Amino acid sequence: MVFGLFDLSSGTATSCRQHGAAGPSDSPTVNERLSALRQVETPEGLQKKRDLADSVNQPSVPPELREILGVLESEPPKPKPGVRLREMRRTPGPAPPKSWLGYRSEWWSTLVMREGRARRKGNGLKSDAERQRPKELLRFSLLLDGKLDTDAGQPSGLLHLTLRRLAEQWDLFDEADFPALVDIPLRLRLRLLSYMGYYGPLIDTTDLQALTSGDETLTHLDLAGLAGHGALTTKRLVKLFEASATMTSIAPDAVAESWDAEETLESILTPSLTAPRFNTLTHLSLSNPPPTASWRDLLALSKSVSRLTHLSLAYWPRPTLTPNLTTATVSSRHSPDVRAGGSHYYSTLDNDYAEAAALLRQLSHNLLCITWLDLEGCADWVPALGTLNAGAHSDIPHDDASGWSPANSPVITIFAHTWKNPTYIRCAQGWLPSLTGLRDTDRSLAPDFGALLARQAHHFPAPLSSDLYEVDKRRGQMWLDIEQKLIATGHRINNIRRARSYKPVTMDFGWCQRAV
C-alpha cells in the first residue's frame, strides 16, 4: 500500500498544485470579493445616480427673480420609502386629518370678506362705544342664584372661551347663517345672548329672533346692556313680543273628496292656532338701558309679558312720561308758572315722587305675578314705592312721622293689592364708600344701623388714598343719606305687609339682606 507520492530523483513529496488544487496566494479573499461586487453597476444604481445628479445640478434662482420670471421652486428630494421624518416640536400622537388642516384655507377668504362688510346692519360704532354694559358677566343669572356678591370670580373653561369669541366676532355672522343657529340648544343660545350684552356689539330684532327661535319653551331672557340700545329699542321689543312667532296648525279630521269641494264650517273656524313666542317668559332682565329709555314703552311692554315673576330694571332712569320737560315751564300773565312735565328738575331733592309712584302703580297692574325685583342703581326713585299718593307735600293726614298714610299711600295699592307675592327686592345703590369714610362721618346713626354696619365692614372697600380723606368722607355722607331713605322705604313696605298678614319682603342693599 502506497500512502504518498515521492519524487524518485529528489526523494520529496509532489506538490498538491500538480493535482489541480489552488494555493492560498492565488484565491481572492472575502474583502476582495465584496469590493468587486460594489463596483458592479446595476440598472437601479445607475438610475439613482442620474436622479441625484439632476437634483444637484439644477440651477437655483433667487426668490425675487423667481417671482418675476415665474420659475417654480425646486422640490426637495423625496424621503425614502418606509422612513418617517421627525418634525421639530411636533404634537405627540397621530397626525391630524387633512380635513382639519384644510379648514382655514377653505373658509378664511369668506371670513375676511365678511369682516370687510361688517356693521352694515345700521348699528353705529359711536352708540356701541357709549353703551352702558353690565358690571359683571352673567349678572342676572348670578343674582337669581344668590352668587352675585360672592367671590366666585370670572367663569372659565372651553364653553366660556367659545361663547366669548362668538360674542366678540358676532359681526362676522350674516343673516344667511341664522337658520343654522336652531341646531344649537336654546340654553346655550340664551347664554350667548348674555355674553353679547357684556362682550358683543349691538344687535337688532333679527338677531334676537335667531337666538330665541325654536320649539323649546322660552322662560328666561337676559337683555342686560342690549335692550334700548341701537336698533333694539324698547318700542321694537314691544312689537316683537306682540307678534306671533310660532304657528300650530290643526287639520280637520274630514278629508275632502275632491279639490272642488266647498269648505266646511269646521275647517273655516279652525285653520290654525297662534301662540306668541314670548308669552311664556317668567324671568326678564332689561337692566343697563340708555339714559333715554322710555317708561311709556316699558308699560306697553309689560302688557305682553304678564306672566313675569322675576324682573330686573337695574339702572333705569326716573319714571316719567315727559323726560324732556323736566326744566320746562308754562308761563302765563294771569297765573303763576306751571311745570310742563310731570316731574321737575329738583323732584328728587324735594322728595316729590308723585309721577313715579303713579307709573309704578300702572306697572304693578300689568305684572301681577311679580315675586322678585332688581332695582339696583335706582336709589333716586326707589322711595316712590313708599310715598304718598298725592306727593310729599300733601295735606292728607299721616299716621306717623315716616310720612305715609294707610288710606291713601301707593304702598298699599302696590304691595297689598296688586303685588301680594313679592319676597325679594334688590335696591342697592350700585357702589359702596370706603370704610374710613363711613366711620368718620358727622352724621349720627341709629344704634341698630351702626351695629349692622360694623358687622358688615368686610364688604366695604379700602380708602382711595391718604390724600383723599375729605373725598372719602363726603362720599360716605352721601351714601348714608341715600341708604337711610332706602331703609325707611323698606320699613314702610313691610309694615303694611305685616298689617295685612303678608310675608315681609327681603330688602337687598348690596352689602346686607334683611327684612327690615
Side-chain angles (χ1 to χ4, degrees):
M1 181 179 293
V2 180
F3 296 96
L5 299 177
F6 295 91
D7 190 358
L8 297 177
S9 59
S10 59
T12 60
T14 59
S15 175
C16 295
R17 292 192 300 268
Q18 296 177 0
H19 300 280
S25 60
D26 296 338
S27 61
T29 60
V30 175
N31 293 333
E32 292 176 354
R33 288 180 178 274
L34 292 177
S35 61
L37 292 176
R38 293 191 186 99
Q39 296 177 0
V40 176
E41 295 184 354
T42 60
E44 295 80 3
L46 293 175
Q47 184 64 30
K48 291 181 179 179
K49 289 183 179 181
R50 295 192 192 96
D51 296 341
L52 182 61
D54 293 341
S55 62
V56 172
N57 297 331
Q58 185 176 3
S60 61
V61 183
E64 295 81 3
L65 297 179
R66 187 185 303 114
E67 295 179 0
I68 297 175
L69 300 177
V71 179
L72 300 178
E73 296 184 3
S74 58
E75 298 181 359
K78 297 181 179 180
K80 296 180 180 180
V83 178
R84 182 176 180 180
L85 295 179
R86 298 186 62 182
E87 300 178 1
M88 297 300 294
R89 297 180 180 180
R90 182 181 176 275
T91 304
K98 296 182 179 179
S99 59
W100 292 11
L101 300 177
Y103 180 78
R104 179 182 177 90
S105 60
E106 181 180 358
W107 294 99
W108 185 250
S109 59
T110 306
L111 295 178
V112 171
M113 181 179 63
R114 290 185 177 180
E115 185 177 2
R117 68 166 187 260
R119 287 298 90 202
R120 291 188 179 182
K121 301 179 181 180
N123 298 332
L125 297 178
K126 182 179 180 180
S127 58
D128 193 5
E130 297 177 353
R131 176 160 55 118
Q132 183 185 7
R133 299 176 183 268
K135 295 181 180 180
E136 297 88 3
L137 177 62
L138 302 175
R139 176 185 175 277
F140 188 51
S141 300
L142 295 176
L143 194 58
L144 290 174
D145 298 337
K147 301 178 181 179
L148 181 62
D149 299 325
T150 58
D151 299 332
Q154 291 291 337
S156 59
L158 180 60
L159 179 60
H160 165 70
L161 297 176
T162 304
L163 294 178
R164 177 177 179 177
R165 188 56 181 260
L166 286 175
E168 294 175 347
Q169 303 294 333
W170 185 256
D171 292 337
L172 301 180
F173 281 84
D174 203 343
E175 294 185 3
D177 303 326
F178 287 166
L181 296 176
V182 184
D183 298 334
I184 304 177
L186 181 61
R187 58 179 182 85
L188 294 181
R189 282 181 282 151
L190 295 179
R191 195 177 184 88
L192 175 60
L193 195 60
S194 302
Y195 275 72
M196 294 286 293
Y198 192 81
Y199 292 111
L202 298 175
I203 63 175
D204 53 14
T205 53
T206 305
D207 302 324
L208 180 59
Q209 285 181 317
L211 291 172
T212 57
S213 60
D215 298 333
E216 301 180 54
T217 304
L218 181 63
T219 58
H220 293 61
L221 187 61
D222 184 6
L223 297 179
L226 297 174
H229 295 277
L232 194 65
T233 59
T234 312
K235 186 175 295 185
R236 294 187 179 181
L237 282 176
V238 174
K239 296 181 180 179
L240 179 62
F241 283 12
E242 292 177 351
S244 299
T246 57
M247 303 290 293
T248 305
S249 301
I250 299 180
D253 297 335
V255 180
E257 297 180 356
S258 64
W259 291 102
D260 298 333
E262 297 182 356
E263 295 182 354
T264 61
L265 181 60
E266 182 181 359
S267 62
I268 296 176
L269 295 179
T270 60
S272 61
L273 291 179
T274 304
R277 175 61 174 163
F278 300 93
N279 192 32
T280 57
L281 280 178
T282 57
H283 297 65
L284 177 62
S285 174
L286 301 175
S287 62
N288 301 95
T292 58
S294 174
W295 272 82
R296 189 186 304 273
D297 297 335
L298 177 62
L299 293 176
L301 178 66
S302 61
K303 298 178 181 178
S304 304
V305 286
S306 58
R307 299 183 182 180
L308 283 184
T309 59
H310 295 66
L311 176 63
S312 175
L313 297 178
Y315 301 97
W316 264 74
R318 183 187 179 93
T320 178
L321 298 180
T322 56
N324 299 325
L325 299 178
T326 54
T327 59
T329 57
V330 179
S331 302
S332 176
R333 294 185 300 175
H334 306 287
S335 62
D337 294 345
V338 180
R339 297 193 304 265
S343 301
H344 57 89
Y345 188 74
Y346 300 101
S347 295
T348 303
L349 297 178
D350 296 341
N351 294 329
D352 184 6
Y353 301 104
E355 184 185 17
L359 294 180
L360 290 175
R361 201 157 46 244
Q362 295 181 28
L363 183 66
S364 65
H365 282 287
N366 297 336
L367 303 175
L368 299 176
C369 302
I370 286 294
T371 61
W372 187 95
L373 272 176
D374 174 25
L375 303 179
E376 180 179 327
C378 307
D380 58 336
W381 57 267
V382 165
L385 297 173
T387 56
L388 290 174
N389 193 10
H393 301 289
S394 175
D395 296 333
I396 300 176
H398 302 164
D399 278 8
D400 56 12
S402 61
W404 59 273
S405 170
N408 299 283
S409 177
V411 71
I412 299 181
T413 307
I414 295 177
F415 288 97
H417 293 168
T418 53
W419 280 348
K420 298 181 180 180
N421 303 319
T423 58
Y424 175 90
I425 296 179
R426 181 177 177 87
C427 54
Q429 300 186 37
W431 65 281
L432 292 174
S434 64
L435 188 60
T436 304
L438 286 177
R439 289 174 177 174
D440 298 339
T441 52
D442 299 332
R443 189 177 183 87
S444 60
L445 301 177
D448 57 343
F449 185 51
L452 181 61
L453 286 176
R455 290 195 303 269
Q456 303 293 333
H458 60 280
H459 288 285
F460 296 89
L464 298 177
S465 175
S466 58
D467 300 334
L468 300 177
Y469 169 73
E470 292 296 332
V471 176
D472 286 341
K473 187 176 179 179
R474 287 195 299 269
R475 285 168 57 91
Q477 290 179 355
M478 293 171 52
W479 183 86
L480 283 176
D481 292 338
I482 301 176
E483 198 70 12
Q484 288 185 351
K485 290 183 180 180
L486 297 177
I487 293 177
T489 303
H491 275 297
R492 296 171 188 173
I493 293 174
N494 286 329
N495 287 341
I496 288 296
R497 294 184 64 83
R498 291 188 181 100
R500 298 296 182 94
S501 300
Y502 294 153
K503 184 179 180 181
V505 178
T506 301
M507 306 296 292
D508 185 1
F509 301 102
W511 54 278
C512 73
Q513 298 183 14
R514 57 183 302 193
V516 293

